[in-house]
Amino acid sequence: MSATDKAKNKAEEVAGKAKEKFGQATGNPDEENEGKADQAKANVKDAAEKVKDAFRH
């Protein structure tokens, strides 16, 4: 996994967490769910990169 991809995935995950917390704080369940979805998407991308790395080695 390239460092750039890893950093992008981590940034997306952190942004998702922030969005989730903001949704909780404001009582906005749509924002909270969107944050959770962003986190899940980042985790899936991270897992896919790890699979690619496993096949490269």
Side-chain angles (χ1 to χ4, degrees), residues 16-57:
K17 284 182 183 180
K19 194 180 285 187
E20 178 186 0
K21 294 296 180 189
F22 181 75
Q24 289 173 349
T26 59
N28 185 343
D30 291 336
E31 187 82 17
E32 184 178 350
N33 291 333
E34 190 175 323
K36 288 178 183 179
D38 288 349
Q39 290 175 66
K41 185 169 63 168
N43 289 334
V44 168
K45 285 181 186 178
D46 192 42
E49 289 294 329
K50 287 179 182 177
V51 169
K52 284 185 205 176
D53 284 346
F55 281 104
R56 282 186 218 162
H57 300 289

Side-chain angles (χ1 to χ4, degrees), residues 1-10 49 53 56:
M1 178 184 330
S2 75
T4 304
D5 290 336
K6 188 174 184 179
K8 285 180 183 179
N9 292 342
K10 190 65 175 174
E49 289 294 329
D53 284 346
R56 282 186 218 162

